[in-house]
CSV table of all heavy atoms in Angstrom, one decimal:
chain,number,residue,atom,x,y,z
A,12,ILE,N,-33.8,-24.8,29.3
A,12,ILE,CA,-35.2,-24.3,29.4
A,12,ILE,C,-35.7,-24.6,30.8
A,12,ILE,O,-36.3,-23.7,31.5
A,12,ILE,CB,-36.1,-25.0,28.4
A,12,ILE,CG1,-35.5,-24.7,27.0
A,12,ILE,CG2,-37.5,-24.5,28.5
A,12,ILE,CD1,-36.3,-25.5,25.9
A,122,ASP,N,-54.4,3.3,5.7
A,122,ASP,CA,-54.0,4.0,6.9
A,122,ASP,C,-53.0,3.2,7.6
A,122,ASP,O,-53.3,2.2,8.2
A,122,ASP,CB,-55.2,4.3,7.8
A,122,ASP,CG,-54.9,5.0,9.1
A,122,ASP,OD1,-53.7,5.4,9.3
A,122,ASP,OD2,-55.8,5.3,9.9
A,123,TYR,N,-51.7,3.7,7.6
A,123,TYR,CA,-50.6,2.9,8.2
A,123,TYR,C,-50.4,3.1,9.7
A,123,TYR,O,-49.5,2.5,10.3
A,123,TYR,CB,-49.3,3.3,7.4
A,123,TYR,CG,-49.2,2.7,6.1
A,123,TYR,CD1,-49.8,3.3,5.0
A,123,TYR,CD2,-48.6,1.5,5.8
A,123,TYR,CE1,-49.7,2.8,3.7
A,123,TYR,CE2,-48.5,0.9,4.6
A,123,TYR,CZ,-49.1,1.6,3.5
A,123,TYR,OH,-49.0,1.0,2.2
A,240,GLY,N,-12.7,-5.0,13.8
A,240,GLY,CA,-11.9,-6.1,14.4
A,240,GLY,C,-10.4,-5.9,14.1
A,240,GLY,O,-10.1,-5.5,12.9
A,258,TYR,N,-16.1,8.0,18.7
A,258,TYR,CA,-16.1,9.3,18.1
A,258,TYR,C,-17.2,10.1,18.5
A,258,TYR,O,-18.3,9.6,19.0
A,258,TYR,CB,-16.2,9.1,16.5
A,258,TYR,CG,-15.2,8.2,15.9
A,258,TYR,CD1,-15.4,6.8,15.9
A,258,TYR,CD2,-14.1,8.6,15.2
A,258,TYR,CE1,-14.5,5.9,15.2
A,258,TYR,CE2,-13.2,7.8,14.5
A,258,TYR,CZ,-13.4,6.4,14.6
A,258,TYR,OH,-12.6,5.5,13.9
A,267,ASP,N,-28.6,20.9,10.2
A,267,ASP,CA,-28.2,20.6,8.9
A,267,ASP,C,-26.8,20.0,8.9
A,267,ASP,O,-25.8,20.8,8.8
A,267,ASP,CB,-28.2,21.9,8.0
A,267,ASP,CG,-28.0,21.6,6.5
A,267,ASP,OD1,-27.6,20.4,6.2
A,267,ASP,OD2,-28.0,22.5,5.7
A,272,GLY,N,-18.6,19.8,10.1
A,272,GLY,CA,-18.4,20.0,11.5
A,272,GLY,C,-17.0,19.4,11.9
A,272,GLY,O,-16.2,19.1,11.0
A,348,PRO,N,-15.7,-2.0,20.4
A,348,PRO,CA,-16.9,-1.4,20.9
A,348,PRO,C,-18.1,-1.6,19.9
A,348,PRO,O,-17.8,-1.7,18.7
A,348,PRO,CB,-16.6,0.1,21.1
A,348,PRO,CG,-15.1,0.2,21.1
A,348,PRO,CD,-14.7,-1.0,20.2
A,362,PHE,N,-22.1,8.4,29.4
A,362,PHE,CA,-22.3,7.6,28.2
A,362,PHE,C,-21.7,6.3,28.4
A,362,PHE,O,-20.5,6.1,28.8
A,362,PHE,CB,-21.6,8.3,27.0
A,362,PHE,CG,-21.8,7.6,25.7
A,362,PHE,CD1,-23.0,7.7,25.0
A,362,PHE,CD2,-20.8,6.8,25.1
A,362,PHE,CE1,-23.2,7.1,23.7
A,362,PHE,CE2,-21.0,6.2,23.9
A,362,PHE,CZ,-22.2,6.3,23.2
A,381,GLY,N,-9.2,-7.3,28.6
A,381,GLY,CA,-10.4,-7.0,27.8
A,381,GLY,C,-10.7,-8.1,26.8
A,381,GLY,O,-11.5,-7.9,25.9
A,400,GLU,N,-13.7,11.4,32.0
A,400,GLU,CA,-13.1,10.3,32.8
A,400,GLU,C,-13.7,9.0,32.2
A,400,GLU,O,-14.9,8.9,31.8
A,400,GLU,CB,-13.6,10.4,34.3
A,400,GLU,CG,-13.0,11.6,35.0
A,400,GLU,CD,-13.4,11.6,36.5
A,400,GLU,OE1,-14.5,11.0,36.8
A,400,GLU,OE2,-12.8,12.3,37.3
A,417,ILE,N,-27.4,-2.2,23.3
A,417,ILE,CA,-27.6,-1.7,24.7
A,417,ILE,C,-28.7,-0.7,24.7
A,417,ILE,O,-28.9,0.1,23.7
A,417,ILE,CB,-26.3,-1.1,25.2
A,417,ILE,CG1,-26.4,-0.5,26.6
A,417,ILE,CG2,-25.7,-0.1,24.2
A,417,ILE,CD1,-25.0,0.0,27.1
A,421,ASN,N,-34.3,1.4,32.8
A,421,ASN,CA,-34.8,2.4,33.7
A,421,ASN,C,-33.6,3.4,34.0
A,421,ASN,O,-32.7,3.4,33.3
A,421,ASN,CB,-35.4,1.8,34.9
A,421,ASN,CG,-34.4,0.8,35.6
A,421,ASN,OD1,-33.2,1.0,35.6
A,421,ASN,ND2,-34.9,-0.2,36.2
A,431,ALA,N,-22.1,-13.5,20.9
A,431,ALA,CA,-20.9,-14.3,21.2
A,431,ALA,C,-20.4,-15.0,19.9
A,431,ALA,O,-19.2,-15.3,19.8
A,431,ALA,CB,-21.1,-15.3,22.3
A,439,ARG,N,-18.5,-22.8,24.9
A,439,ARG,CA,-19.1,-22.7,26.3
A,439,ARG,C,-20.4,-23.4,26.4
A,439,ARG,O,-21.0,-23.4,27.5
A,439,ARG,CB,-19.3,-21.2,26.7
A,439,ARG,CG,-20.4,-20.5,25.9
A,439,ARG,CD,-20.5,-19.0,26.3
A,439,ARG,NE,-21.6,-18.4,25.6
A,439,ARG,CZ,-21.9,-17.1,25.8
A,439,ARG,NH1,-21.2,-16.3,26.6
A,439,ARG,NH2,-23.0,-16.6,25.2
A,486,ALA,N,-19.1,-22.8,0.8
A,486,ALA,CA,-19.5,-21.4,0.6
A,486,ALA,C,-20.9,-21.1,1.1
A,486,ALA,O,-21.6,-20.3,0.4
A,486,ALA,CB,-19.3,-21.0,-0.9
Side-chain angles (χ1 to χ4, degrees):
I12 301 173
D122 180 0
Y123 286 85
Y258 307 82
D267 186 356
F362 183 78
E400 293 179 340
I417 178 173
N421 54 33
R439 67 183 187 180

